[in-house]
Amino acid sequence: RAAKARRVVLVGASFIAMEVAASLIHRKLQVHVVAPEAVPMERVLGPQVGEHLRRLHERNGVVFHLQQSVVAIDERRVVLKDGNAIEADLVVIGIGVRPLIDLAERTGIKTDKGVLVNEYLETSIPEIYAAGDIARWPNPLTGDHIRVEHWVVAERQGQTAARNILGGRERFDVVPFFWTTQYDFTLNYVGHAETWDKLDLKGSIEEHDCKLSFRRGGKTLAVATIGRDRESLESELAMERAVQAV
């Protein structure tokens, strides 16, 4: 589709949407991004990184329509809630996923924005397990149930669940991680912080040389690094040791 398109509208400002935007800009297409938030990816990465990414994309030609939503899509355009319309040959929607939990609910398995599992990935019904994007498991560092949409997590959970189905009793205590590359910008993220009360920044985001620590209650829940791969690995190792100590 992109090979024949000239104007593209991306709905959403998630990691996938932003990576698609960078990819399509490399193809010399006109790219517009529509999203409800005021700062892209602020909820996950904080306002400083979000603003940097917005400026980075704008310098490369992306046009943002923030604090907006889509009310209609037809063959030639996308209509926004403020009444403005954007001409488009291609529309890409990257607004997240909703877990399909109907089957679990019908069988009486406990759910909460996903299928609830214990540290062994076992559901509330013994000998029934869940893994992957649908599973919400207890984070050993906080006790909160979390759900992570990343293929590495899904792959490793599947392996752990399989061993436990075969009679093992293995905790799933892997520290989640992901990364994103957009233009010349690469960010690595380890841990999981849905909310935080303190964000420590060391270094410079603009110079692509920094470390951000997402903290809550004095505890580091996640670390994002730009241009500091060694510190990312060291942070991951520290979290693994903290988990093993629980």
Side-chain angles (χ1 to χ4, degrees):
R1 296 275 184 161
K4 298 179 180 180
R6 186 168 64 89
R7 297 162 298 191
V8 182
V9 171
L10 297 174
V11 182
S14 64
F15 285 99
I16 287 180
M18 294 292 90
E19 290 169 1
V20 171
S23 177
L24 295 178
I25 285 291
H26 283 310
R27 291 172 176 256
K28 310 300 182 184
L29 303 183
Q30 297 175 19
V31 178
H32 291 253
V33 173
V34 180
E37 54 264 53
V39 178
M41 295 187 285
E42 179 180 14
R43 184 182 65 81
V44 178
L45 296 176
Q48 300 101 318
V49 175
E51 283 290 355
H52 176 76
L53 285 171
R54 180 185 61 79
R55 293 192 298 268
L56 173 65
H57 280 274
E58 287 179 337
R59 287 196 300 268
N60 281 276
V62 174
V63 178
F64 283 94
H65 305 265
L66 298 172
Q67 295 181 292
Q68 284 289 337
S69 60
V70 173
V71 297
I73 299 173
D74 61 28
E75 292 183 359
R76 297 187 178 276
R77 64 179 189 161
V78 173
V79 181
L80 307 184
K81 71 175 182 180
D82 65 2
N84 288 320
I86 309 170
E87 298 295 318
D89 308 306
L90 173 64
V91 177
V92 180
I93 299 176
I95 57 175
V97 302
R98 180 179 295 130
L100 297 177
I101 58 178
D102 293 353
L103 177 61
E105 290 176 333
R106 289 201 303 270
T107 59
I109 291 173
K110 290 182 180 179
T111 61
D112 176 22
K113 301 176 183 177
V115 176
L116 288 173
V117 297
N118 61 18
E119 65 269 37
Y120 306 107
L121 303 179
E122 191 172 27
T123 69
S124 59
I125 296 181
E127 299 185 13
I128 296 181
Y129 294 77
D133 289 6
I134 201 170
R136 281 178 65 85
W137 81 96
N139 182 349
L141 292 178
T142 64
D144 300 334
H145 275 76
I146 63 175
R147 191 173 63 81
V148 176
E149 298 167 10
H150 193 282
W151 65 270
V152 173
V153 171
E155 188 175 66
R156 292 179 177 178
Q157 282 189 342
Q159 294 165 352
T160 298
R163 287 191 286 268
N164 289 342
I165 288 169
L166 293 172
R169 200 64 176 164
E170 179 180 317
R171 279 200 318 167
F172 183 77
D173 54 10
V174 171
V175 174
F177 72 92
F178 66 81
W179 68 93
T180 184
T181 297
Q182 302 168 32
Y183 310 106
D184 63 342
F185 173 92
T186 297
L187 176 142
N188 295 313
Y189 182 103
V190 296
H192 186 83
E194 292 186 15
T195 61
W196 61 86
D197 55 31
K198 188 176 182 182
L199 176 54
D200 293 331
L201 169 61
K202 295 182 179 179
S204 170
I205 297 174
E206 293 296 329
E207 295 178 6
H208 292 185
D209 179 20
C210 67
K211 172 183 175 181
L212 299 103
S213 300
F214 300 82
R215 300 170 63 82
R216 190 174 77 207
K219 183 179 297 185
T220 299
L221 303 182
V223 170
T225 59
I226 306 169
R228 297 189 179 186
D229 290 353
R230 181 183 178 89
E231 289 190 42
S232 177
L233 292 171
E234 290 172 346
S235 298
E236 183 177 12
L237 180 60
M239 290 182 193
E240 288 176 349
R241 288 173 174 168
V243 167
Q244 291 167 3
V246 173

